[in-house]
Amino acid sequence: MTRYEEVASVLRERIEHGLYRVGDRLPSIRAVCQELDVSISTAQEAYRQLMDASLIESRPKSGYFVLPRQVPLVLPSVSRPARRPLDISQWDQVLELVAATQRDDTRLLLGRGVPNLAYDTLKPLSKILSGLHRSNDLNGFNYDKLNGSPELRQQVARLATASGCLLHPDDIIITTGCQEALAISLRTLTQPGDVVAVDSPSFYGTMQILKANGLKALEIPTDPQTGISLEALELALEQWPIRAIQVTPTYNNPIGYTMPEARKRALFQLAQRFDVAIIEDDIYGDLAFTHPRPRTVKSFDKDGRVLLCSGFSKTVGPGLRVGWLAPGRYSDLALHMKYVSTGASATLPQLAVAEFVAKGYYERHLRYAIRQYQRQRDIMISWVQRYFPRGSGISYPQGSFLLWVELPAAVDCVSLNERLVKHAIYVAPGSLFSASGKYRQCLRLNYAFTLTPAIERAVRTVGELASEMVREARQHEVEET
Amino acid sequence: MTRYEEVASVLRERIEHGLYRVGDRLPSIRAVCQELDVSISTAQEAYRQLMDASLIESRPKSGYFVLPRQVPLVLPSVSRPARRPLDISQWDQVLELVAATQRDDTRLLLGRGVPNLAYDTLKPLSKILSGLHRSNDLNGFNYDKLNGSPELRQQVARLATASGCLLHPDDIIITTGCQEALAISLRTLTQPGDVVAVDSPSFYGTMQILKANGLKALEIPTDPQTGISLEALELALEQWPIRAIQVTPTYNNPIGYTMPEARKRALFQLAQRFDVAIIEDDIYGDLAFTHPRPRTVKSFDKDGRVLLCSGFSKTVGPGLRVGWLAPGRYSDLALHMKYVSTGASATLPQLAVAEFVAKGYYERHLRYAIRQYQRQRDIMISWVQRYFPRGSGISYPQGSFLLWVELPAAVDCVSLNERLVKHAIYVAPGSLFSASGKYRQCLRLNYAFTLTPAIERAVRTVGELASEMVREARQHEVEET
C-alpha cells in the first residue's frame, strides 16, 4: 500500500466506525499531516481518494465533510427462501450468463464473476508460461500426477496456512477449476435424490451441479452480514435427511458477507453434531481487504468432514482452469471422482502457477489487485447510490469484487436485462442465485473492471431503466385503484 | 513417407496378403529396383526395415526370405465375458496405473496409453504456445466460450470429415480431455442403476465412469478382428434395459481391432432399431496406418443418436487436456453437464491446438508419428514373438500404438507385475479392462516408445518372468498328479 492509500484507509475506517459521522467536518489537511506524519501532498491525495469514493466532499473554504450514505448497507435482514427441498431450475438464465464471454461479446458484462486481467502484476505469469514452453522437452505435454503436480500442491499447502489450515501437500487434489472441485465434492458425498443444504442466495454454478446430479437444494435463510442462519440450519438438520451443507462463508458470492469466526466454528460444530459433511467454497477467500485474511471453516475441522474447494480463477485467471480441493476424510473417493471426471489436470498451467506463487509474484499481484478492488468497491457503491432508485440496498463486502444490489420490489432484473439489450449491457439477475427463481429484484455487479467513464455511464443506464420500471409500477398501481 | 518406406510398405502388404508366403524367396534387390523404379540403396533400406520388423531374413548368398509368424495374430476367437450386468471393480489396479507418471516414476511404464512426445514434429506446438503467452494481452487467462473456442471447433469439424462426419463447428463441445467427453456422455444418457452395454475387454477409464455413476456394465463378447458381436448385442438388447452402448470401434483399446465399415453401419442400425444411444470413443482414430482413415459409426448417424468422443491426447499430448464431444441430439443436456463438470475448458491450449491444426502442423506430425508407430508395431511384435512364452497370442492393430498380448492361462499378469517390481517395469494387466477382473492372462504393451535396446531388454524380462510362471504352473501340475 502506498502512503496515501494508508492514510485514506485510516480515515475510511474512522468514518465506517462512526468516529466521524455524516455531516461532520474532517480534520484539516494540516492536522492530518501532523497526526499521521505525512506530507501535504500525501494527505491531499488521500482526501481525493475518499472523494472519488463519495465518502466525503470538499466544500469551498470550509473543508472536507462526511457524506451521507443514502441507502442502508445491507439487504433484507435475512433471506426467506422456501422451507422445503427443491429441484433446481434457472439453467436457461445461467447459460445466458456463462455462454457470454468478454472475448467475443460486444455487450458490457457488468455481472460476470471475472477478475481484472489487465494488471501488470500478472505479466510474470505470461513470462513463466512462455519460458516453460520454450525450454520444454515436450514432457509438459505428458500427464501430470492424478492428484496434481507436487510443486503446485506444496504452494497451495503453504498459502492455505493464511486461512488457518495446516494441510499436507498430499491432502490436496488439483482440479480443473474450482467448479470441478465442487462437482467432485458433491458427487463424492451424495446420491441422486439426496438433499443438500445451501446458503441462500447461493452461487449458481453449485446449484447447477445439484440439478445435474438430481439433488435437491434446501435453501437456508442467510443474513447478509453474518451468513447462513445456524438456527434455521439446525432446525433443517433435525427435519430433513441432509447429506451435505454447501456454503461460501468468506466474501460470499453473491451477497458479500463473511461469517464471523465464531459462527464458522459453530457451523463446524453443528455439522459434527449431526454427522454431516461441509463443502466450503473459498474461491474468493484470498481477496481480503483486511490482514490477515479470514479463517476458513476448514481451519476448525477436527475430523476431516470439511471439503475445502478453491483455486486461482478469481485471483490469477479463470481461463487457466487451476483449482484445488482438500477433501479431508473423503480423499480416496474424491480421487476416484477426479479420475473419472477429467483424469489428471493439465500439466503446464499447474507448473506455471506453482512457479508464480513460489517466486512471490502471486502475493505481489494479490496485494495490488486487492488495493484496486477496495477502491473500486467504494466507487461502484457511490455510483449505485447516485444512479439507482431510492431504497436500493447494497452490500458492503470486505473482500473480492462482487456487489449485490437489492432494488425496489417493482424491479424484475430479468426484464431489466431485456431492456438493457439495446444498450449492450448485461447484469446478473438475482434469480440465478436461487433454486426457485427468488431474488428477482436483486442483481450482482462486478467492480473488478477498471472503472472508466463508460462503466459509470453503464451503471447509470442500469439505474435509469430500473427507475423507469419503478415509475411504471407506480403508474400501474394508480391506474388499478 | 520416404521412398524406402513406401517400398517397404508395398512389400509388407504383399507378405500380409500372402502373395509371398512363409519361406518364399523375395525378389532380389535388383528386381525391386526395376519394378518400383527406385535406387539400389532405397531398396536395401526397405529390406533392412522389413528385417528389423522380423518379417524377413537375409540368408547369405541366397537372398531374402519370408519368416514364419510364430504365433497366431489373433486372440481367443471371441471374448466370453459374464452374461449379466455387473458392478465395476478394479479401481485399485487402475489407480496404480494412472497414478504412475513418466515424469517422476523410475519404472519403465510399458503399459501406459501415452503417445511418443519426443518427435520434433511436435515442436511447433511449443513455439505456438510460447508465442501466445508472449504476445498475449492476458485475455488468454479469461474464460473461453462454454462450448469451446470457435477456432478450435472449426478445425475439429474440418478434421472430422476424414472419418466421414459432416459436423458443423456448433455441433462440437470442446472438453477437458476425451475422459470428460466420455463422462459427460454417460451422465447425459443415464441414471444410477442403469445398464450400459460395452465391448469387452474395454477401456478402464470408461469402466470407472460407470462405477462412479453407479451404472452396471453388460460386457458383450467381442471378436479381436471385427469387434463387438452384433449378434450377442442384439440378444442383450432384447433381454436387458440397456440405456447406451459404449464402444471403441476404431483401433480398439486394448485389443486393437477396427470394426469393418459394414459392421459399423449395422451397429448403428441395431441401435436405431432398439432406440438406444451409442457412445463412440474415437480417440485413436486419427492414428491410421492406412489411408483414408476408417469411418466412424457417427458417420452413419442419421438421427443424432451417436455421441462421438475424441480429442488430441493420443496424437498431440494428453497433458494439454484438449478433447471434444459431438453429442448429436443430446447437445443441450451435454452442454449443461459440461458446465457443471469444469465450466469452460482452458483457453490457451485450445487456441494453440487450433493454430497447430490450421497451419498444417498436426497433419505433418500425424504422418510422421504414424510411420514410426507402424514400424515399431512390427518390431514390438517380433520381440514378443521372440521372448514371450510359446502360444502367446498377439494383436495386429492397423493403427495407434497399443499391443494386446494373451499369454498362456498359467500367467496371471497382476502377479507378473509384482515380479516385475524389482526390475522397475510395469505392464498393464488385462484385468484392468474388465468389469469383473477377467483377462488376467492378458496384458497391454505400448509401442509408441522410441524402441531402444533398453526397451527390448525390458520386453525380454517380461517374457522371461512370464515363462517362469508357465514353468512353475507345469511343475505344480506335475506335483499334484
Side-chain angles (χ1 to χ4, degrees):
Chain A
M1 223 186 271
T2 61
R3 201 69 187 99
Y4 76 81
E5 283 169 328
E6 278 172 23
V7 174
S9 166
V10 166
L11 296 172
R12 184 191 290 115
E13 269 178 30
R14 291 181 186 170
I15 294 169
E16 280 164 13
H17 285 84
L19 202 62
Y20 308 138
R21 286 158 195 269
V22 173
D24 280 0
R25 184 161 64 199
L26 288 161
S28 67
I29 295 280
R30 186 174 304 269
V32 168
C33 291
Q34 286 183 343
E35 186 202 341
L36 300 175
D37 191 24
V38 295
S39 70
I40 291 196
S41 66
T42 298
Q44 282 173 330
E45 188 53 39
Y47 273 54
R48 200 163 353 227
Q49 229 191 18
L50 295 175
M51 283 194 288
D52 280 353
S54 296
L55 288 169
I56 64 170
E57 62 176 0
S58 104
R59 296 184 196 158
K61 302 198 178 152
S62 310
Y64 296 92
F65 292 82
V66 179
L67 279 175
R69 293 203 156 270
Q70 291 153 15
V71 292
L73 279 179
V74 291
L75 289 179
S77 54
V78 169
S79 66
R80 289 178 200 203
R83 295 187 178 186
R84 60 198 163 71
L86 291 173
D87 290 323
I88 312 287
S89 53
Q90 319 303 326
W91 166 236
D92 289 347
Q93 286 180 44
V94 173
L95 180 61
E96 192 182 345
L97 177 70
V98 300
T101 63
Q102 224 73 44
R103 188 151 78 92
D104 70 343
D105 206 298
T106 52
R107 294 177 302 175
L108 180 59
L109 305 171
L110 281 179
R112 282 213 84 185
V114 177
N116 194 315
L117 300 170
Y119 296 147
D120 283 349
T121 45
L122 264 184
K123 288 201 168 151
L125 182 64
S126 282
K127 212 164 166 185
I128 289 169
L129 274 160
S130 168
L132 275 174
H133 289 301
R134 245 193 340 266
S135 74
N136 206 270
D137 57 354
L138 299 175
N139 227 344
F141 295 154
N142 210 332
Y143 286 114
D144 209 318
K145 291 185 84 70
L146 182 56
N147 59 347
S149 121
E151 294 90 331
L152 180 57
R153 285 184 286 116
Q154 200 189 334
Q155 294 305 324
V156 167
R158 190 175 67 71
L159 290 176
T161 57
S163 76
C165 288
L166 283 176
L167 298 172
H168 187 276
D170 289 346
D171 296 333
I172 293 157
I173 299 174
I174 303 298
T175 58
T176 305
C178 186
Q179 182 72 17
E180 192 183 37
L182 292 163
I184 287 172
S185 298
L186 280 161
R187 280 194 217 113
T188 295
L189 297 172
T190 64
Q191 297 290 323
D194 282 350
V195 178
V196 176
V198 298
D199 43 14
S200 176
S202 198
F203 170 48
Y204 48 79
T206 312
M207 307 276 265
Q208 294 301 321
I209 301 170
L210 300 187
K211 180 181 167 72
N213 289 281
L215 302 169
K216 286 175 193 300
L218 183 59
E219 296 176 304
I220 306 293
T222 296
D223 184 291
Q225 287 193 287
T226 58
I228 193 166
S229 160
L230 297 180
E231 301 68 28
L233 179 60
E234 184 171 359
L235 279 172
L237 285 164
E238 278 163 5
Q239 198 176 349
W240 302 99
I242 292 169
R243 294 287 304 167
I245 302 163
Q246 199 283 313
V247 285
T248 308
T250 305
Y251 313 133
N252 175 270
N253 172 15
I255 54 176
Y257 65 80
T258 294
M259 283 180 84
E261 219 171 278
R263 290 183 73 85
K264 282 178 176 165
R265 186 195 304 265
L267 173 61
F268 172 74
Q269 286 163 344
L270 193 60
Q272 204 174 28
R273 184 146 67 82
F274 285 88
D275 193 19
V276 57
I278 295 174
I279 301 172
E280 179 178 21
D281 180 351
D282 188 54
I283 189 73
Y284 295 97
D286 278 359
L287 291 170
F289 299 161
T290 52
H291 186 81
R293 59 147 289 172
R295 288 180 64 165
T296 46
V297 178
K298 178 80 178 170
S299 72
F300 299 104
D301 188 8
K302 286 187 183 64
D303 53 13
R305 71 176 62 248
V306 181
L307 298 92
L308 179 62
C309 303
S310 191
F312 296 89
S313 293
K314 306 303 179 184
T315 48
V316 176
L320 292 164
R321 310 314 290 128
V322 179
W324 57 270
L325 168 65
R329 64 163 85 154
Y330 305 98
S331 60
D332 288 352
L333 201 46
L335 192 64
H336 186 242
M337 291 295 168
K338 169 58 180 150
Y339 172 62
V340 302
S341 172
T342 56
S345 282
T347 307
L348 289 163
Q350 294 187 61
L351 299 181
V353 172
E355 193 176 330
F356 188 70
V357 179
K359 290 194 167 157
Y361 293 122
Y362 176 74
E363 271 134 330
R364 195 173 66 130
H365 169 65
L366 218 51
R367 276 197 303 276
Y368 182 79
I370 284 167
R371 237 160 26 199
Q372 305 308 312
Y373 294 164
Q374 187 172 17
R375 227 184 103 246
Q376 288 165 201
R377 173 197 60 185
D378 293 340
I379 294 173
M380 184 61 95
I381 286 180
S382 74
W383 289 349
V384 173
Q385 288 180 318
R386 200 170 305 158
Y387 301 126
F388 273 44
R390 201 172 302 191
S392 296
I394 315 174
S395 63
Y396 193 61
Q398 300 299 314
S400 179
F401 49 76
L402 297 171
L403 208 62
W404 181 247
V405 182
E406 188 186 47
L407 291 143
V411 181
D412 176 325
C413 291
V414 177
S415 314
L416 178 60
N417 253 339
E418 285 163 16
R419 295 185 189 208
L420 287 167
V421 167
K422 68 166 180 276
H423 301 275
I425 297 169
Y426 184 82
V427 296
S431 47
L432 290 177
F433 303 90
S434 160
S436 49
K438 281 182 168 256
Y439 316 120
R440 290 178 80 94
Q441 81 280 24
C442 301
L443 58 82
R444 187 181 75 174
L445 292 175
N446 182 324
Y447 56 80
F449 299 97
T450 305
L451 295 180
T452 57
I455 308 258
E456 182 174 5
R457 277 196 301 278
V459 173
R460 181 179 184 155
T461 302
V462 175
E464 285 170 356
L465 292 185
S467 300
E468 191 179 286
M469 292 174 89
V470 172
R471 277 197 304 277
E472 284 169 13
R474 211 169 290 148
Q475 187 65 32
H476 191 70
E477 261 172 50
V478 170
E479 283 164 13
E480 294 275 295
T481 48
Chain B
M1 223 186 272
T2 60
R3 201 70 189 98
Y4 76 83
E5 283 168 328
E6 279 173 21
V7 174
S9 166
V10 166
L11 296 172
R12 183 190 290 114
E13 269 179 31
R14 290 180 185 171
I15 293 169
E16 279 164 15
H17 286 85
L19 202 65
Y20 309 137
R21 285 156 196 270
V22 174
D24 278 0
R25 183 162 63 200
L26 288 161
S28 66
I29 297 278
R30 184 175 305 270
V32 167
C33 292
Q34 285 183 341
E35 186 200 341
L36 301 176
D37 192 22
V38 295
S39 70
I40 291 197
S41 67
T42 298
Q44 281 173 332
E45 188 52 39
Y47 273 54
R48 197 159 0 221
Q49 229 192 21
L50 296 174
M51 282 195 288
D52 279 351
S54 297
L55 288 170
I56 63 171
E57 61 177 2
S58 104
R59 296 185 194 155
K61 302 197 179 155
S62 309
Y64 296 92
F65 291 83
V66 179
L67 279 174
R69 295 205 155 268
Q70 289 153 17
V71 291
L73 278 180
V74 290
L75 290 179
S77 54
V78 170
S79 67
R80 289 180 201 202
R83 295 188 179 186
R84 59 198 164 72
L86 291 173
D87 289 323
I88 311 288
S89 52
Q90 322 299 328
W91 167 235
D92 289 347
Q93 286 180 46
V94 172
L95 181 59
E96 192 182 346
L97 176 70
V98 298
T101 64
Q102 224 74 45
R103 186 151 79 93
D104 70 343
D105 206 300
T106 52
R107 295 176 302 175
L108 181 58
L109 304 171
L110 281 180
R112 282 212 84 186
V114 177
N116 194 315
L117 300 171
Y119 297 147
D120 282 348
T121 45
L122 264 185
K123 288 199 169 154
L125 182 65
S126 282
K127 213 164 165 186
I128 289 169
L129 273 161
S130 169
L132 276 175
H133 290 302
R134 243 193 342 265
S135 73
N136 207 269
D137 56 357
L138 300 174
N139 228 345
F141 296 155
N142 209 332
Y143 286 115
D144 209 317
K145 291 186 85 69
L146 182 56
N147 60 347
S149 122
E151 295 89 330
L152 181 56
R153 285 184 286 116
Q154 199 189 335
Q155 294 306 323
V156 167
R158 190 176 67 72
L159 290 175
T161 58
S163 76
C165 287
L166 282 176
L167 298 174
H168 186 275
D170 290 345
D171 297 333
I172 293 158
I173 299 174
I174 303 299
T175 57
T176 304
C178 186
Q179 181 73 15
E180 192 183 38
L182 292 163
I184 287 172
S185 298
L186 280 160
R187 280 193 217 113
T188 295
L189 296 173
T190 64
Q191 298 290 322
D194 281 351
V195 178
V196 176
V198 297
D199 42 13
S200 177
S202 198
F203 170 47
Y204 48 79
T206 311
M207 306 277 265
Q208 294 300 320
I209 301 172
L210 299 188
K211 178 181 168 71
N213 288 282
L215 302 169
K216 287 174 192 301
L218 183 61
E219 297 177 304
I220 305 294
T222 297
D223 184 291
Q225 287 193 289
T226 59
I228 193 167
S229 160
L230 297 180
E231 301 67 27
L233 179 60
E234 184 171 358
L235 279 172
L237 284 164
E238 279 164 4
Q239 198 177 350
W240 302 99
I242 292 169
R243 294 287 303 167
I245 302 163
Q246 200 284 312
V247 285
T248 307
T250 305
Y251 314 132
N252 176 270
N253 172 17
I255 54 176
Y257 65 79
T258 294
M259 283 181 84
E261 218 170 277
R263 290 184 74 84
K264 283 178 175 165
R265 186 196 302 266
L267 172 61
F268 171 75
Q269 286 164 343
L270 192 58
Q272 203 173 30
R273 183 145 68 83
F274 285 88
D275 193 19
V276 58
I278 296 174
I279 301 172
E280 178 176 22
D281 180 352
D282 189 53
I283 189 71
Y284 296 97
D286 278 359
L287 291 169
F289 299 160
T290 52
H291 186 82
R293 60 147 288 174
R295 288 180 65 163
T296 46
V297 177
K298 178 79 178 171
S299 73
F300 299 104
D301 187 9
K302 285 185 185 65
D303 53 12
R305 70 176 63 248
V306 181
L307 296 92
L308 179 61
C309 303
S310 190
F312 296 89
S313 292
K314 305 304 179 184
T315 47
V316 177
L320 291 165
R321 310 313 291 128
V322 178
W324 56 270
L325 168 64
R329 64 162 87 153
Y330 305 98
S331 60
D332 288 350
L333 200 46
L335 191 64
H336 187 243
M337 291 295 169
K338 167 59 181 151
Y339 172 63
V340 303
S341 171
T342 56
S345 282
T347 306
L348 289 164
Q350 294 188 59
L351 298 181
V353 172
E355 193 176 332
F356 188 71
V357 178
K359 290 194 165 155
Y361 293 122
Y362 176 74
E363 270 135 330
R364 197 174 65 131
H365 169 65
L366 217 52
R367 277 196 303 275
Y368 183 80
I370 285 167
R371 234 156 32 194
Q372 305 307 312
Y373 295 163
Q374 186 171 20
R375 226 184 104 244
Q376 287 163 204
R377 172 197 62 187
D378 293 340
I379 294 173
M380 184 62 94
I381 286 179
S382 74
W383 289 348
V384 172
Q385 288 179 316
R386 201 171 304 156
Y387 301 124
F388 273 43
R390 199 173 303 192
S392 296
I394 315 174
S395 64
Y396 193 62
Q398 300 300 313
S400 179
F401 49 76
L402 298 171
L403 210 61
W404 181 247
V405 182
E406 188 184 48
L407 291 142
V411 181
D412 176 326
C413 291
V414 176
S415 315
L416 177 60
N417 253 339
E418 286 162 15
R419 296 186 187 208
L420 286 168
V421 168
K422 68 166 182 274
H423 300 276
I425 297 170
Y426 183 84
V427 295
S431 48
L432 289 178
F433 303 89
S434 160
S436 48
K438 283 183 168 252
Y439 317 120
R440 291 178 77 94
Q441 81 278 24
C442 301
L443 58 82
R444 187 181 76 174
L445 292 175
N446 182 325
Y447 56 80
F449 300 97
T450 304
L451 295 179
T452 57
I455 308 258
E456 180 172 7
R457 278 195 301 278
V459 173
R460 182 179 184 155
T461 301
V462 175
E464 284 170 357
L465 292 185
S467 300
E468 192 179 286
M469 292 175 89
V470 173
R471 277 197 305 278
E472 284 169 14
R474 209 170 289 144
Q475 187 65 29
H476 190 72
E477 259 174 51
V478 170
E479 281 165 14
E480 291 277 292
T481 47

